Amino acid sequence: MGQQKIIIALDGHSSCGKSTYAKLIAAELGYSYIDSGAMYRAVTLAAMDAGLFDETSAPPVEKIEALLDHIDLELKHNPEKQRTEIFLSGRMVEDLIRRMEVSGHVSYIAAISAVRRKMVEYQRWLGREKGVVMDGRDIGTVVFPDAALKIFLTASLEVRTGRRYKELIEKGMAADFSEVQKNLEKRDHIDSNRDDSPLKKADDAILLDNSEMTLEQQMIWFKDLYQRIISGADDKD
Ligand code: CDP
């Protein structure tokens, strides 16, 4: 579909299927998929590995800022698995960063401005040649405000909890339904209320509630939208 490369920003609430959708869109268009949430999760894992979190308290911002200078984070394409993987100091951490412990701390880390500055810089660099689908919380508002196509995805809390619970179980990870639900609610609250780059729909993003939709229906919806955008997108990124 189409020759002209654009940036597609996919933002929305926790666990509403952004990454699955973004991957399908990227495959459809021959674009690369970039998971910005994985970057915040990797920084969180680095802070946990450095022993900065204890049972009761989160580390002071200064400690995270100091850690940032030493973090070696890289996204690399794995041609065999046909996916992009995230590396922390050379170690592939795709699965480790999805653990519930990381989910429990990530929104604290993602609210720190120094962390966001560094991640956004990397995200913009990764999108410099366009032809990318990037998912996250602030892609359409902050990272690529001029993206030609912006989608804001949401779904009911119940549906989102069910999807994440199933995903964790299928990966063989420990999961408790009500704990998963509480985590989603808590992250959405922190993500939407932080001062720096809060989660919100960009004015020009198109809202999609996929609670009742199959992926197939989402793709039909997307292709229609893409055709309309691409036929009049000359003046935008
Ligand atoms: O997969 P899920 O939707 O549950 O989350 P994620 O995309 O992996 O993002 C994890 C966390 O990173 C979010 O809850 C946010 O706190 C943070 N995040 C962010 O602040 N900005 C982004 N662009 C992406 C993620």
Side-chain angles (χ1 to χ4, degrees):
M1 284 170 87
Q3 319 78 354
Q4 174 195 359
K5 284 191 170 181
I6 61 168
I7 286 178
I8 299 177
L10 185 55
D11 290 302
H13 293 103
S14 297
S15 199
C16 52
K18 290 185 299 294
S19 66
T20 310
Y21 197 21
K23 277 180 212 159
L24 278 179
I25 293 172
E28 174 74 32
L29 301 178
Y31 280 17
S32 49
Y33 161 59
I34 296 160
D35 176 357
S36 69
M39 299 181 192
Y40 295 96
R41 287 176 177 273
V43 174
T44 307
L45 182 66
M48 290 167 71
D49 284 351
L52 296 184
F53 281 95
D54 66 30
E55 298 280 297
T56 50
S57 62
V61 169
E62 302 77 61
K63 288 214 168 162
I64 302 296
E65 286 174 348
L67 178 81
L68 267 182
D69 293 335
H70 306 287
I71 284 184
D72 166 20
L73 199 154
E74 200 185 353
L75 284 176
K76 280 195 281 195
H77 186 68
N78 179 334
E80 237 167 71
K81 291 199 172 171
Q82 296 208 345
R83 65 171 190 177
T84 302
E85 296 174 335
I86 192 154
F87 289 75
L88 200 55
S89 305
R91 179 171 64 134
M92 206 277 280
V93 292
E94 266 302 312
D95 287 333
L96 275 180
I97 60 168
R98 314 282 163 198
R99 283 177 10 220
M100 276 305 285
E101 292 89 333
V102 175
S103 300
H105 294 311
V106 64
S107 287
Y108 170 77
I109 295 291
I112 298 172
S113 289
V115 174
R116 302 206 70 81
R117 266 198 304 278
K118 190 161 176 170
M119 298 305 112
V120 169
E121 190 187 341
Y122 189 30
Q123 289 154 14
R124 288 188 179 142
W125 184 81
L126 290 167
R128 69 200 179 284
E129 288 173 357
K130 302 189 186 172
V132 298
V133 186
M134 194 175 292
D135 76 341
R137 304 293 186 284
D138 60 339
I139 311 304
T141 51
V142 174
V143 183
F144 296 117
D146 295 329
L149 201 164
K150 300 180 185 177
I151 299 170
F152 190 91
L153 196 63
T154 192
S156 72
L157 180 63
E158 192 119 1
V159 166
R160 293 189 282 124
T161 307
R163 287 177 184 161
R164 179 52 46 94
Y165 178 77
K166 187 164 164 265
E167 185 187 344
L168 288 167
I169 297 290
E170 279 172 2
K171 281 189 180 158
M173 295 185 191
D176 170 83
F177 194 89
S178 70
E179 196 192 323
V180 170
Q181 178 156 333
K182 266 189 246 151
N183 173 258
L184 296 184
E185 275 181 302
K186 185 176 155 207
R187 276 199 289 136
D188 284 345
H189 181 78
I190 300 176
D191 294 346
S192 306
N193 291 288
R194 67 186 176 215
D195 291 333
D196 191 337
S197 318
L199 165 66
K200 66 169 198 263
K201 184 186 153 304
D203 290 338
D204 53 349
I206 312 205
L207 181 72
L208 180 66
D209 183 329
N210 71 0
S211 305
E212 310 277 333
M213 285 173 93
T214 63
L215 274 172
E216 215 173 10
Q217 290 169 327
Q218 281 182 223
M219 284 312 288
I220 293 170
W221 181 91
F222 171 77
K223 285 180 206 171
D224 179 59
L225 174 67
Y226 175 79
Q227 285 306 345
R228 280 188 284 128
I229 297 274
I230 212 74
S231 53
D234 297 342
D235 51 346
K236 281 188 120 193
D237 283 348

